[in-house]
């Protein structure tokens, strides 16, 4: 079983409009909803790849009930979300059908009470006992300590469970010091962490700060990875346009599934880039187009070299 943690869950709403223009009214041509937050996105992709997944984090209020109702119908995903008194946030993606561009609106998360945070930590430790790997993903809702991910990484390491960490800012800086197995920042997050805007140098610096492996997203240009086994770059055959919501989470799912399946790093990166591009092509935020994914698998270019033994 793979465990994914989403402390700031959401209900993702996608609107499609013929053309998005400021200061005007718009007729929405299509509306789609699905459970969101980075860890839930990762879980859905992992389940589609055939892995058993348990999701945990916080959920509350009417929006939270919708999230859990929709999770019930997701094959391969077990709901272990903890109830809170606050209300789960929503995110709104507005897709311009003319250009393919997306405008994202993210609500703030609910405040987590100290007792709710304590209950989560206890539940998390119990869930680790049956996990092959864990993904810690996304922003921290108000009330959760900024060093929360660092503590969760240490708990997983003590249990012998490999950890992928995907967050940003101070939460990432502190989390890296706890020595996660993989971190997956985007280029801006990596630059903020290390102070370097040169991706190769920045990935190496992030490893020195504590991460065992660093896989950085370069957006439409693919991924770059620095690991104990070597350094690689994986690129898609061409730039794809569409809704990028969840594309990075699909990449995380590819990396995590590759870790559990013990794939070599080039194969993990190929899967991650193909999933990410296929997610951009999907009409619904955070889901991937399987035919596109299967076609892309044979078209990803991976360059680099393994570290000499």
């Amino acid at each position: 079983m793979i465990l994914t943690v989403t402390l700031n869950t959401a209900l993702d709403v996608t609107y499609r409009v013929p053309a998005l223009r400021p200061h005007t009214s718009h007729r929405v041509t299509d509306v789609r909803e699905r459970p969101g937050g980075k860890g839930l996105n990762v879980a859905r992709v992992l389940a589609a790849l055939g892995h058993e997944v348990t999701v945990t984090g916080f959920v509350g209020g009417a929006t939270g009930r919708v999230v859990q109702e929709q999770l019930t119908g997701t094959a391969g995903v077990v709901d272990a979300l903890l109830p809170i008194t606050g209300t789960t946030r929503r995110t709104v993606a507005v897709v311009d059908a003319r250009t393919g561009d997306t405008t994202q609106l993210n609500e703030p998360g609910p405040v987590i009470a100290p007792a709710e945070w304590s209950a989560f930590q206890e539940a998390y430790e119990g869930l680790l006992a049956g996990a092959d790997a864990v993904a810690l993903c996304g922003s921290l809702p108000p009330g959760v300590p900024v060093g929360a991910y660092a503590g969760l990484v240490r708990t997983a390491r003590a249990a012998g469970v490999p950890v992928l960490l995907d967050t940003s800012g101070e939460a990432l800086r502190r989390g890296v010091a706890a020595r996660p197995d993989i971190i997956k920042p985007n280029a801006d997050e990596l630059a903020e962490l290390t102070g370097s805007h040169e991706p190769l140098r920045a990935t190496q610096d992030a490893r020195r700060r504590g991460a065992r492996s660093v896989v950085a997203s370069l957006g439409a240009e693919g991924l770059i990875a620095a690991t104990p086994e070597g350094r690689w770059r994986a690129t898609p055959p061409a730039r794809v346009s569409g809704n990028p919501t969840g594309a990075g989470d699909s990449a995380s799912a590819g990396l995590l599934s590759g870790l559990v399946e013990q794939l070599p790093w080039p194969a993990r990166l190929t899967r991650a880039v193909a999933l990410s591009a296929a997610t951009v092509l999907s009409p619904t935020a955070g889901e991937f187009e399987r035919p596109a994914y299967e076609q892309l698998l044979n078209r990803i270019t991976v360059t680099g070299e393994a570290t000499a033994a």
Side-chain angles (χ1 to χ4, degrees):
M1 176 269 285
I2 299 176
L3 177 65
T4 73
V5 173
T6 313
L7 297 178
N8 208 5
T9 55
L11 179 67
D12 288 346
V13 183
T14 302
Y15 292 147
R16 291 186 67 86
V17 298
L20 183 61
R21 298 185 176 88
H23 315 301
T24 63
S25 297
H26 295 80
R27 185 175 297 277
V28 176
T29 58
D30 183 61
V31 181
R32 303 194 185 195
E33 293 183 342
R34 60 105 172 100
K38 295 179 75 63
L40 295 188
N41 294 342
V42 171
R44 187 167 40 251
V45 175
L46 285 169
L49 293 173
H51 289 274
E52 293 182 0
V53 190
T54 297
V55 297
T56 191
F58 299 112
V59 69
T63 307
R65 287 193 292 274
V66 175
V67 167
Q68 290 190 290
E69 288 169 2
Q70 295 197 13
L71 280 176
T72 300
T74 305
V77 175
V78 175
D79 177 1
L81 294 167
L82 275 68
I84 56 172
T85 57
T87 298
T88 296
R89 67 192 178 115
R90 294 169 297 177
T91 69
V92 178
V94 183
V95 180
D96 185 323
R98 178 176 53 86
T99 64
D101 293 335
T102 301
T103 299
Q104 190 81 18
L105 305 173
N106 297 327
E107 295 181 358
V111 176
I112 306 302
E116 293 168 338
W117 175 236
S118 295
F120 170 80
Q121 292 177 87
E122 183 178 351
Y124 170 74
E125 190 168 356
L127 289 167
L128 284 173
D132 299 312
V134 58
L136 307 174
C137 302
S139 60
L140 299 175
V144 173
V146 70
Y149 281 137
L152 297 180
V153 169
R154 294 189 187 101
T155 301
R157 287 179 57 83
V161 179
V163 186
L164 181 148
L165 175 63
D166 185 3
T167 187
S168 60
E170 185 66 12
L172 175 60
R173 189 183 70 81
R174 297 198 186 192
V176 166
R179 304 187 67 81
D181 294 86
I182 304 172
I183 64 169
K184 197 209 68 60
N186 62 33
D188 290 339
E189 292 163 350
L190 185 62
E192 182 182 4
L193 173 66
T194 64
S196 174
H197 291 272
E198 200 290 304
L200 182 59
R201 177 181 300 174
T203 54
Q204 293 290 73
D205 183 61
R207 288 198 65 214
R208 287 191 290 270
R209 291 168 184 260
R212 178 173 172 80
S213 298
V214 180
V215 181
S217 170
L218 305 179
E221 297 178 9
L223 298 172
I224 188 170
T227 82
E229 291 79 18
R231 294 179 294 180
W232 292 275
R233 182 165 185 164
T235 55
R239 179 181 293 269
V240 296
S241 62
N243 186 352
T245 304
D249 305 328
S250 291
S252 293
L255 296 172
L256 203 58
S257 63
L259 183 155
V260 170
E261 296 170 29
Q262 299 182 335
L263 297 179
W265 270 103
R268 298 186 202 183
L269 296 170
T270 294
R271 178 181 291 180
V273 172
L275 283 168
S276 180
T279 300
V280 174
L281 294 171
S282 173
T284 302
E287 297 183 2
F288 72 93
E289 288 284 287
R290 184 170 290 275
Y293 163 65
E294 293 173 350
Q295 291 174 10
L296 284 163
L297 275 175
N298 296 320
R299 301 176 61 200
I300 304 301
T301 300
V302 180
T303 57
E305 58 184 5
T307 301

